[in-house]
Amino acid sequence: MEIEVLKEQICDVCHKTWQLGWVAANDGNVSARLEDGTFLCTPTGMSKSFITPDKLLRINAKGEVLEGAEGLRPSSEIKMHLRCYEKRPDVWSVIHAHPPGATGFAVAHKAMDMYNMIEDVAVIGSVPLTPYGTPSTTEVPDAIEPYLEEHDVMLLENHGALAVGSDVITAFYRMESLELWAKITINAVILGGSVDISRENIQKLIDLRGFYRVTGRHPGYKKFDNGLR
């Protein structure tokens, strides 16, 4: 993909995350891997509603700025993005946001291990709650690393959510699916409880991933005892 097209995609996703209410002020960050091993990322201290192609930065694997407008620098959370790229060669985009429904689970210290929605069972599977980490330190990347082998979506304890994908749009779709799933589950709990699909049918849905050419990783059937049932 041409770099200018990729920049437009990143900006579009930034604007959508703001419009959907997943970020406020300078929350969240988006990045993408380039063919030459460098990365595009959003700058720190700027609303995602204001991001334009000329404001994106190109950085190396150490987080050092190679290209960018004067005065702009990467978010301190770029360490989390770079850890995803380091451990997952199949990942070409990372999105971090604070979608209210999913972040509610993170703040309540509840993993999203429900198997109650057909699409989410097949595409995402269970979503773990990663341990608390202090922003801007290596605590956050260290906290997510054990989960990267099996999961494309994670909840960050008392923080927000993380989604990775084979491209920017796939990562965005996963974050979007996570948030809708969280809202539906919250409504189900209010109405009396979240009811899982049967174990047999869960496996059938997971097996369909190959047929639909779903990229990324899947944890299979895994529970974290989130206490919703």
Side-chain angles (χ1 to χ4, degrees), residues 26 35-38 53 68 82 84 105 119 137-138 146-147 164 185 206:
N26 59 355
E35 293 285 351
D36 64 359
T38 62
L82 294 174
C84 294
F105 277 86
E119 292 83 357
T137 71
T138 60
Y147 300 91
V164 304
T185 299
I206 294 172

Side-chain angles (χ1 to χ4, degrees), residues 32 40 52 54 72 75 124 188 196 198:
L40 292 175
T52 52
D54 59 297
L72 296 183
S75 165
I124 296 176
D196 282 355
S198 71

Side-chain angles (χ1 to χ4, degrees), residues 19 35 89 99 118 135 138 153 157 164 167 205 224:
Q19 290 165 350
E35 293 285 351
I118 289 174
T138 60
V153 181
E157 188 175 286
V164 304
D167 52 64
L205 292 168
F224 299 101

